Amino acid sequence: MRKLLIGLFLVLAAPLLAAPSQVPHITSEAQFAELARTSPGGRYASFPQVMFVIDRAAKGGPMLHFVNSKQYEFHIDFVQRTYLSTQDTNALLDANYSKDNRRFIFGSVLHYAALGRYGIEFWEGDELNAEILTLTMALVQQNFPAPLAFKPNSQHQSVLAATIPGLVTIDQNAVYASRSELVLNPGKATGRLRIIPKLDDDVLLTPSDIVVLGEAPLRLSPVAGIVTNEFSTPLAHVNLLAKSWKVPNGYVRDAVSKFAPFDGQWVRMEAGETITIRLATIKEIAAAQRVQAKRKVRIAKSDLTFRALPALGDLRVGDAVRVGSKAANLGEVAIQRHPGKDDFEVPPGFAIPFAWYQDFLRINGLDRKIAALLLDPRMRSDGKYRREQLAVLRAAFNAGMLPAGLGAKLAERRAAAIGDGGVFVRSSTNSEDLPGFNGAGLYSSVPNVTDQAALEAAVKVVWGSVWNDGAFAAREAAGIDHRSVMAGVLVQQGMNAEASGVMITENPFDPSEWGTVFINAKRGLGIRVVEGRRVAEQLLYRSDPESIQVLTRSTDDAMLSFDAGGGVREVAIEPGRMVLTDARAKRLAKVGRRVAIMFGNRPQDIEWLMIGETIYIVQSRPYLRGN
């Protein structure tokens, strides 16, 4: 019996004996893989990681421990459980991440397979100095079989790296782009696969399509799932739309060729830690078709009796039934902001309620034109025809007459609420921010409107954007009654932003990570941020302990700025330069968390801009987590 128990113990212990808790050297790629773990979320998502600890107080000089990262989740776990230190967790954190005289150096070696390189990384909040970084690079390299480089994860680390002669570094953007996959919205879907190398206006998509796109599109009508060959940021409109539709989407390198054998067939797509596509079963196809047949989003009844032009400071969330959620939510932020206490401003503005849109339709006969279009069966079967008819309708909006007296009221309200200077004219409809229908990016905005005639024209453009092709297709797929859609308008002081972007008050890669804010930033006006065609500066704020992780720097070589004659112009800039310092990013993240509190601490998708050191909030909407 004793021999049996000993034998059983040896069998159970074999995996641990094969993979020790730590080693002083790594001699091969196979040994690295034996110790490494790959996490789908968190700081080092999708890259194999082996943690290391350097004990600077060891007898005989600094001692290196490569940690079995499958066995230990954190450096401190290893230090405490192997009795290298008996300090508690808080004391270890305080002593070994910010002190020059620290005993322990905590870092990781990561393998970026697509780059064919290994790199050393530290926690983004680690306030390294040159001595610690130089010692680490030398000691780890002496005990590692492949060349190592340093990948900075913060502003401080980037600045430090530049001061050390001969230090080889790895660019953050190159690492971000080296991923072979990136799941932006997890989930499962069944649909007909369509390979589309380049999406154009004549392609008519259906809610039953799973699309594999050669290029990340600026706009997309509702589909069942999305895979692209190109990266786009988590806050690009396409990804926000995917979340609102609750469909899986992500990036796969060479997706067009990889999934080409499935083109035209019904498939099952699953996006979790990775993205997989296989042929769907008959049962899965039938279930997907039943769900699609039942999908319908309802819009709350609107108040069409209200014709005042309220200032933002007079609006609350409940006024969404009169002016739309964008204007109402921003009014809530403006009202709840504590002057002198909150570290942000809300540019002044006013709203044009739904009643004026309804009047405009009636006096110009547009209500009859819309009714006729909605009865036309070709609007739902012929993509080119639908696009042409909607363009004709929008042209009729542009040529229409404003309701009597509205022009004078606009001039008077603009002078009282905003004053001189350009304004932004933005949509604020009742078909946005609905459960199951986000509506991001569907409607139009007009920037830097300078004179009265341009303002009146811009209001008609925004009203007409209710009938943008993408907006029509999205509502059609969601089962929204087009006749119930009402367009409000938000007129707001134009701010010629020096930096701008979007932030969400949680980690989109790992929503369970409490106290995080994800920030996208670019120089100039924020129009380019949500397009997602260029990589924005991406930062992740963590509150405990406080840190800013740099995911990417902006790749833009141009920014948008106000033109003196109205509208915007493009200005050349140096690509790759930092948009936000750590100090500004921390301020911005705290503003985001403050705004989230105003809405019951529910995650928010917030548009912001900066001029000098002043932060401005220009939109807050609920952030949809997707599946």
Side-chain angles (χ1 to χ4, degrees), residues 228-424:
T228 66
N229 263 356
E230 289 186 347
F231 268 161
S232 60
T233 71
L235 293 181
H237 270 318
V238 169
N239 297 322
L240 294 177
L241 288 171
K243 287 181 178 293
S244 75
W245 303 330
K246 295 189 176 181
V247 303
N249 73 308
Y251 154 80
V252 176
R253 184 182 294 123
D254 300 324
V256 168
S257 58
K258 180 176 181 179
F259 299 123
F262 298 108
D263 192 20
Q265 301 186 68
W266 279 82
V267 299
R268 179 70 168 176
M269 173 184 173
E270 297 187 1
E273 294 185 9
T274 61
I275 295 174
T276 60
I277 291 179
R278 60 168 172 79
L279 291 176
T281 66
I282 294 175
K283 184 177 180 180
E284 288 169 337
I285 295 171
Q289 291 173 336
R290 286 195 300 271
V291 169
Q292 188 60 45
K294 293 179 180 177
R295 186 179 182 195
K296 192 167 186 179
V297 174
R298 296 189 181 277
I299 296 176
K301 190 173 181 180
S302 300
D303 179 356
L304 300 180
T305 64
F306 183 75
R307 284 182 169 77
L309 304 181
L312 278 175
D314 296 326
L315 293 172
R316 302 303 295 257
V317 168
D319 290 309
V321 297
R322 302 177 181 89
V323 299
S325 59
K326 185 180 294 179
N329 285 359
L330 191 58
E332 186 74 33
V333 174
I335 287 174
Q336 290 202 42
R337 187 185 73 88
H338 295 297
K341 181 179 179 182
D342 283 326
D343 187 20
F344 70 92
E345 305 284 341
V346 175
F350 64 92
I352 306 172
F354 301 147
W356 290 105
Y357 171 76
Q358 194 69 7
D359 289 348
F360 179 77
L361 296 184
R362 187 181 64 257
I363 65 173
N364 289 284
L366 293 169
D367 50 353
R368 295 190 297 275
K369 285 184 170 63
I370 290 168
L373 275 182
L374 295 178
L375 291 173
D376 186 344
R378 288 186 67 187
M379 291 291 289
R380 291 162 180 84
S381 61
D382 187 332
K384 182 179 180 181
Y385 176 80
R386 183 177 70 193
R387 181 165 49 85
E388 291 171 347
Q389 294 304 308
L390 290 174
V392 170
L393 178 61
R394 291 195 302 273
F397 268 80
N398 294 340
M401 295 186 304
L402 290 182
L406 179 57
K409 291 179 183 295
L410 289 175
E412 180 183 352
R413 200 71 180 101
R414 176 180 181 175
I418 300 173
D420 297 331
V423 295
F424 269 63

Side-chain angles (χ1 to χ4, degrees), residues 47 111-117 177-180 253:
F47 299 109
H111 185 206
Y112 319 112
L115 298 178
R117 304 180 73 181
S178 72
R179 302 181 185 193
S180 60
R253 184 182 294 123

Side-chain angles (χ1 to χ4, degrees), residues 335-575:
I335 287 174
Q336 290 202 42
R337 187 185 73 88
H338 295 297
K341 181 179 179 182
D342 283 326
D343 187 20
F344 70 92
E345 305 284 341
V346 175
F350 64 92
I352 306 172
F354 301 147
W356 290 105
Y357 171 76
Q358 194 69 7
D359 289 348
F360 179 77
L361 296 184
R362 187 181 64 257
I363 65 173
N364 289 284
L366 293 169
D367 50 353
R368 295 190 297 275
K369 285 184 170 63
I370 290 168
L373 275 182
L374 295 178
L375 291 173
D376 186 344
R378 288 186 67 187
M379 291 291 289
R380 291 162 180 84
S381 61
D382 187 332
K384 182 179 180 181
Y385 176 80
R386 183 177 70 193
R387 181 165 49 85
E388 291 171 347
Q389 294 304 308
L390 290 174
V392 170
L393 178 61
R394 291 195 302 273
F397 268 80
N398 294 340
M401 295 186 304
L402 290 182
L406 179 57
K409 291 179 183 295
L410 289 175
E412 180 183 352
R413 200 71 180 101
R414 176 180 181 175
I418 300 173
D420 297 331
V423 295
F424 269 63
V425 184
R426 311 184 71 188
S427 65
S428 182
T429 75
N430 64 344
S431 57
E432 300 173 68
D433 306 333
L434 301 172
F437 190 82
N438 174 277
L442 297 179
Y443 309 112
S444 301
S445 296
V446 184
N448 195 26
V449 176
T450 54
D451 58 39
Q452 178 65 19
L455 173 58
E456 294 180 12
V459 169
K460 291 186 285 186
V461 167
V462 172
W463 279 342
S465 70
V466 167
W467 303 99
N468 286 342
D469 189 48
F472 185 95
R475 295 195 302 265
E476 191 75 11
I480 293 175
D481 182 356
H482 299 285
R483 295 167 299 180
S484 67
V485 178
M486 297 295 158
V489 179
L490 171 61
V491 181
Q492 196 169 17
Q493 181 181 23
M495 309 300 292
N496 198 16
E498 297 169 7
S500 56
V502 185
M503 59 178 161
I504 53 177
T505 57
E506 71 174 25
N507 183 348
F509 304 108
D510 185 5
S512 66
E513 189 177 27
W514 183 88
T516 59
V517 177
F518 179 74
I519 302 171
N520 269 17
K522 292 193 178 183
R523 291 184 290 282
L525 300 173
I527 299 169
R528 291 178 177 269
V529 175
V530 293
E531 287 180 352
R533 296 305 296 268
R534 290 291 190 101
V535 175
E537 181 163 285
Q538 298 181 92
L539 308 173
L540 197 56
Y541 167 86
R542 292 183 172 92
S543 61
D544 187 21
E546 189 175 53
S547 64
I548 296 291
Q549 181 180 7
V550 178
L551 302 178
T552 60
R553 293 298 186 191
S554 172
T555 61
D556 264 346
D557 56 6
M559 73 176 195
L560 295 179
S561 184
F562 283 179
D563 189 275
V568 297
R569 61 188 177 92
E570 202 169 76
V571 180
I573 56 173
E574 176 189 352

